[in-house]
């Protein structure tokens, strides 16, 4: 919603409204904790992540088009702010994907349904670093996503499975492209 309307696919309000409705349904279905495994909640969470990804990818494509072909009367600072907002949204979206997919998602992690993690955090490798019941929470995945987006490499959590490696590679590629385009536009604006 913080992006200009010209960087939205369709009506500016439609996709955010769908996302808020889906998030509301997810929160209503499980308001406190993940007390049960539910296929509907799982599909809802993955659908929300997918909608967010599609919205961000569509906005990014529109921004790339404006950056590559120029935009009449569009101040450079507005395009740069939009690029920064898309980059930040990308960090949040990948954090959501990591949280939703690691060891089958939050419910499966809560009930230890899978023996092996997809992402290994230091606290899982060295028991002396955390309490025995330690499990990664959303802020841990947000930190992983941010450090991967800013340094183009994992910092503390190591991807073990192919999907985790692929997601981290995709996030790094998207981040490099976004940063390169924004920097190129900024340099071009100096001339």
């Amino acid at each position: 919603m913080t992006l200009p309307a010209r960087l939205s696919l369709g009506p500016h309000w439609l996709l955010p409204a769908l996302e808020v409705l889906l998030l509301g349904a997810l929160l209503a279905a499980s308001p406190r904790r993940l007390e049960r495994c539910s296929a509907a909640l799982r599909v809802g969470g993955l659908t929300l992540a997918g909608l967010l990804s599609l919205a961000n990818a569509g906005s990014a494509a529109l921004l790339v088009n404006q950056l590559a072909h120029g935009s009449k009367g569009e101040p450079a600072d507005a395009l740069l702010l939009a690029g920064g907002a898309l980059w930040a949204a990308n960090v949040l979206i990948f954090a959501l994907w990591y949280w939703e997919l690691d060891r089958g998602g939050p419910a499966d992690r809560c009930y230890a349904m899978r023996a092996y993690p997809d992402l290994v955090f230091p606290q899982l490798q060295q028991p002396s670093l955390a309490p025995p019941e330690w499990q990664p929470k959303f802020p841990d995945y947000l930190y992983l996503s941010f450090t991967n987006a800013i340094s183009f490499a994992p910092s503390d959590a190591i991807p073990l499975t192919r999907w985790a490696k692929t997601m981290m590679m995709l996030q790094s590629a998207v981040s490099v492209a976004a940063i390169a385009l924004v920097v190129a536009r900024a340099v071009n604006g100096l001339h």
Side-chain angles (χ1 to χ4, degrees):
M1 288 300 295
T2 62
L3 293 175
R6 69 187 177 291
L7 294 180
S8 295
L9 300 174
H12 190 62
W13 56 269
L14 181 61
L15 204 48
L18 289 173
E19 292 164 353
V20 167
L21 286 173
L22 184 55
L23 181 60
L26 289 171
L27 291 174
S30 185
R32 290 188 184 90
R33 282 194 58 139
L34 296 170
E35 297 167 358
R36 63 189 185 284
C37 294
S38 166
L41 287 175
R42 179 87 173 124
V43 168
L46 293 173
T47 301
L48 179 60
L51 282 174
L52 291 168
S53 296
L54 288 174
N56 205 49
S59 294
L62 292 171
L63 178 64
V64 165
N65 185 51
Q66 285 190 358
L67 289 172
H69 298 100
S71 51
K72 298 174 184 170
E74 186 67 34
D77 60 342
L79 292 173
L80 295 174
L81 286 173
L86 287 171
W87 182 87
N90 194 51
V91 168
L92 289 170
I93 291 166
F94 272 94
L96 181 60
W97 277 116
Y98 298 142
W99 182 68
E100 280 287 350
L101 294 176
D102 185 29
R103 285 194 294 160
D108 282 4
R109 277 193 307 278
C110 182
Y111 295 109
M113 301 294 281
R114 295 187 183 182
Y116 301 106
D118 299 288
L119 298 161
V120 177
F121 291 85
Q123 296 89 334
L124 297 174
Q125 290 180 309
Q126 298 177 352
S128 63
L129 296 177
E133 67 279 355
W134 187 90
Q135 290 294 320
K137 304 284 190 251
F138 186 77
D140 299 301
Y141 295 103
L142 181 59
Y143 174 78
L144 167 66
S145 181
F146 179 80
T147 57
N148 190 51
I150 202 75
S151 67
F152 319 121
S155 59
D156 67 344
I158 304 299
L160 295 181
T161 59
R162 288 183 182 101
W163 79 257
K165 292 174 183 178
T166 302
M167 290 291 284
M168 291 185 81
M169 182 175 59
L170 177 62
Q171 182 186 16
S172 292
V174 168
S175 190
V176 165
I179 290 171
L181 283 170
V182 168
V183 168
R185 178 62 167 106
V187 168
N188 189 36
L190 294 175
H191 290 90

